[in-house]
Amino acid sequence: NNNNNNNHLPSVAAVGKATQKTLQHFGIPVHFCPTKANAATLVAELPASPNSTLLYPASAKAATTLQDGLTQRGFRVTRLNTYDTVTAAWNDTEQRTAQRIRVACFGSPSAVNGWCVNHDNHNNNHNHNHHDARVLAACIGETSANACREHRWPEERIFFPEKPGVEGWADATEEAIRSLLLQG
């Protein structure tokens, strides 16, 4: 009986609404989604029961915020690195294009790191803790904004929504562009 089998499926949590929507599109019911799409909020809000276990598929580059926080709350967490992000090396055309960019849009900390690595390599600055002072950062959420801070981006040049997501990211990008227009 199909209904009986569904009762034995593990509960699924999604880190945000976009992930929830994708899982549901593939017929996977989502039992929990935090109020803010980031690991810290998921750690704080995920309901626990005695002996809760969690399989955490993640990027090999993902921070340990989720697994560490849930472990501290008593979860048994198994992290499974299911993919890795690799920084692309920019060719000469991409380097020249990047020199003209005034607003860079970042959807992840690895995107920020990739920008900085490529920008630094082009400028023979190999400490990867540098950014182009002309460039504003429009981030999908606070985690990417924190990556900008780690690379010493000035706070007034970082734009991100209170709640992560594509709609807020578009608003942050618009805010960054407006600030450029106000600068003249």
Side-chain angles (χ1 to χ4, degrees), residues 24-43:
Q24 290 172 334
H25 173 78
F26 287 104
I28 300 169
V30 174
H31 299 91
F32 179 80
C33 188
T35 57
K36 189 174 182 182
N38 64 38
T41 305
L42 182 59
V43 166

Side-chain angles (χ1 to χ4, degrees), residues 109 112-113 128-130 143-153 158:
V112 174
N113 294 334
H128 306 304
N129 204 17
H130 168 68
T143 306
S144 298
N146 286 338
C148 289
R149 292 179 186 110
E150 290 170 13
H151 287 280
R152 297 192 324 230
W153 230 286
I158 303 171

Side-chain angles (χ1 to χ4, degrees), residues 88-129:
W90 292 348
N91 63 34
D92 290 341
T93 301
E94 292 164 328
Q95 288 285 358
R96 285 190 301 275
T97 300
Q99 295 303 311
R100 295 190 310 266
I101 299 296
R102 296 296 308 276
V103 177
C105 299
F106 299 117
S108 68
S110 58
V112 174
N113 294 334
W115 172 276
C116 292
V117 165
N118 277 292
H119 188 272
D120 289 350
N121 285 343
H122 176 72
N123 293 311
N124 295 319
N125 176 6
H126 300 289
N127 67 9
H128 306 304
N129 204 17

